[in-house]
Amino acid sequence: MPRTSIEDAVARPAGLAETIARVRAEISNACQGAQRDPVSVTLVAASKLVVADLLVQALGAGHRIYGENRVQEARQKWPALKARYPDVELHLLGGLQTNKARDAVLLFDVIHSLDREPLAAALARQSAQHGRRPRVFVQVNTGGEPQKSGTPVPDADRLIAVAREQHGLDVVGLMCVPPAGAPPEAHFTLLAEIAARNALSSLSMGMSGDYALAIEYGATHVRVGTGIFGGRPAQRARELPKR
Ligand SMILES: *Cc1c(COP(=O)(O)O)cnc(C)c1O
């Protein structure tokens, strides 16, 4: 049976450091092409379904910024790793249930998936209660896909305003996941437009297949999973619920 890329990475610890370096170099290239400073792009290593052994390798290679999709999985994996690497910065990339707002506020430094007002209210309440104020991206469902998280495009301006003004959240930018298999350019452009008219400076867009392109369109945060860690177990990935 052919080895999976994850098995390969485990077998060759140096491989992961090299892979991360290669992704960083591609980010630098894309920045150069777009006449941007490479420090203006943050690489978030999307580590859903990635086991702790591999994370230790990536941490050993010096990478400190990781994104998880599910609160429960992050709670199982990260407290022990954070104890060893206190300068880890943890991002929540997946949709968030309102009843998990407490855990999310306690665990994550950045939340990319604010997409409705009740969640903004819950995050504000938990922030006040726990004295933690994660930075927040409003996720916009630029493709209008019913199965996806994200606020509908027509509601985005209002949600941004309410999250900031009514709930006092630290809204730093917008996030999108364009429809799979479609050209992402129009989605990147739309997200950048909504951000510009709301004076938001951060854009979380671009994944393994299109992060160089996203950087051309102004991405400040790229979320790269398979491009760093290799393929995720397909069946478990399919079982991931919407939020
Ligand atoms: C899984 C995931 C990523 C990373 O996807 P890859 O294609 O593996 O790079 C980025 N963003 C979100 C929201 C994800 O769920």
Side-chain angles (χ1 to χ4, degrees):
M1 223 173 103
R3 303 158 68 89
T4 66
S5 12
I6 286 181
E7 284 166 344
D8 267 357
V10 169
R12 298 178 290 105
L16 200 49
E18 280 164 24
T19 306
I20 293 171
R22 195 163 353 101
V23 172
R24 284 188 192 290
E26 268 186 54
I27 289 172
S28 286
N29 277 344
C31 283
Q32 206 164 22
Q35 302 188 327
R36 295 182 52 191
D37 188 335
V39 306
S40 69
V41 177
T42 298
L43 172 60
V44 182
S47 50
K48 61 172 175 258
L49 303 175
V50 174
V51 297
D53 277 0
L54 266 187
L55 295 176
V56 168
Q57 288 177 35
L59 288 159
H63 194 74
R64 289 294 181 271
I65 304 176
Y66 295 84
E68 288 286 341
N69 274 58
R70 299 180 67 187
V71 173
Q72 193 186 348
E73 182 184 341
R75 280 188 67 192
Q76 286 165 3
K77 290 195 305 201
W78 281 101
L81 294 168
K82 271 192 159 183
R84 272 174 78 182
Y85 298 92
D87 55 342
V88 157
E89 184 178 286
L90 212 52
H91 294 234
L92 178 64
L93 308 181
L96 178 58
Q97 288 176 347
T98 304
N99 65 10
K100 297 217 169 72
R102 175 180 180 275
D103 288 339
V105 162
L106 288 173
L107 189 57
F108 291 97
D109 304 292
V110 187
I111 293 172
H112 289 237
S113 51
L114 172 61
D115 62 358
R116 60 201 189 277
E117 195 190 337
L119 180 58
L123 290 173
R125 209 161 42 238
Q126 296 301 333
S127 291
Q129 222 165 74
H130 299 285
R132 278 182 57 90
R133 195 158 176 259
R135 303 194 291 285
V136 171
F137 287 80
V138 169
Q139 182 176 355
V140 183
N141 190 351
T142 56
E145 296 173 281
Q147 81 283 10
K148 249 185 203 159
S149 305
T151 180
V153 171
D155 301 346
D157 295 316
R158 183 164 182 281
L159 179 59
I160 294 163
V162 165
R164 278 170 158 168
E165 290 153 26
Q166 213 164 305
H167 298 294
L169 295 180
D170 185 11
V171 180
V172 296
L174 302 182
M175 180 270 221
C176 75
V177 181
E185 289 89 337
H187 300 271
F188 296 158
T189 302
L190 177 58
L191 200 70
E193 281 171 7
I194 301 171
R197 70 176 180 242
N198 287 282
L200 291 170
S201 55
S202 294
L203 289 171
S204 170
M205 56 191 200
M207 315 198 331
S208 294
D210 57 15
Y211 65 88
L213 184 64
I215 287 169
E216 274 181 49
Y217 284 78
T220 62
H221 293 68
V222 294
R223 312 177 307 263
V224 180
T226 50
I228 291 176
F229 298 109
R232 290 178 287 272
Q235 195 194 343
R236 289 173 63 203
R238 237 181 286 123
E239 283 167 8
L240 277 181
K242 177 183 162 196
R243 60 166 63 104

